[in-house]
Amino acid sequence: QVQLVESGGGLVQPGGSLRLSCAASGSIFSVNAMGWYRQAPGKERELVAVVTSGSSTNYADSVKGRFTISRDNAKNTVYLQMNSLKPEDTAVYYCNINYRNHNVNYVHWGQGTQVTISS
C-alpha cells in the first residue's frame, strides 16, 4: 500500500507564492518519477511538472519560469515551488508517483490540494 500525503495548498493573492509538498510512503522499491498535475473546474487534468529518478524535469509551458519542481530522493518527497501565481493557476493540484515494486510499475495519485489565486 502506497500513500501520498500532500500539503501546502491555500489561498494567495495574484503574484504571490506557494510551496506544495508530497511525501510518499509504503511499499516502494524504486521511484521512476514524481510530479504534479492540476485540474481546474470544467477542465481536464493536466501535467504541471514532473521530475524523474535521473533528475530530469518537464514543465507545462504555462508554468515555465514560474514553477520549480524538486525532489528529495531519501525522503521520497517532491516539492513544487510556485511563484508569480496567476488566477488561472487556480485548481486542485494532485501529486503523482510512478514507482516500481517487484518488477512491476505502478502509478498512484494523491487526494489533491486546493490552490486558489484571488485578490
Side-chain angles (χ1 to χ4, degrees), residues 43-100:
K43 295 187 177 181
E44 294 186 353
R45 190 174 297 188
E46 62 175 1
L47 171 71
V48 177
V50 64
V51 56
T52 70
S53 58
S55 299
S56 296
T57 57
N58 188 35
Y59 294 91
D61 287 343
S62 59
V63 307
K64 284 181 181 176
R66 300 188 297 123
F67 292 11
T68 302
I69 190 168
S70 60
R71 184 173 147 187
D72 184 332
N73 291 333
K75 297 180 180 180
N76 278 341
T77 298
V78 65
Y79 306 95
L80 185 68
Q81 179 66 42
M82 305 185 293
N83 299 328
S84 302
L85 284 161
K86 304 175 181 180
E88 50 264 43
D89 295 317
T90 296
V92 177
Y93 283 69
Y94 296 91
C95 179
N96 171 279
I97 181 171
N98 182 314
Y99 67 98
R100 190 168 183 83

Side-chain angles (χ1 to χ4, degrees), residues 1-6 21-25 28 33-39 44-50 78 92-99 106-113:
Q1 186 85 15
V2 171
Q3 289 187 329
L4 296 176
V5 178
E6 300 156 330
S21 299
C22 174
S25 62
I28 300 172
M34 293 185 74
W36 291 93
Y37 290 69
R38 67 186 181 187
Q39 187 166 18
E44 294 186 353
R45 190 174 297 188
E46 62 175 1
L47 171 71
V48 177
V50 64
V78 65
V92 177
Y93 283 69
Y94 296 91
C95 179
N96 171 279
I97 181 171
N98 182 314
Y99 67 98
Y106 297 90
V107 175
H108 193 74
W109 293 90
Q111 298 277 8
T113 183

Side-chain angles (χ1 to χ4, degrees), residues 6-27:
E6 300 156 330
S7 62
L11 171 65
V12 67
Q13 292 185 343
S17 298
L18 281 174
R19 188 189 193 215
L20 305 183
S21 299
C22 174
S25 62
S27 185

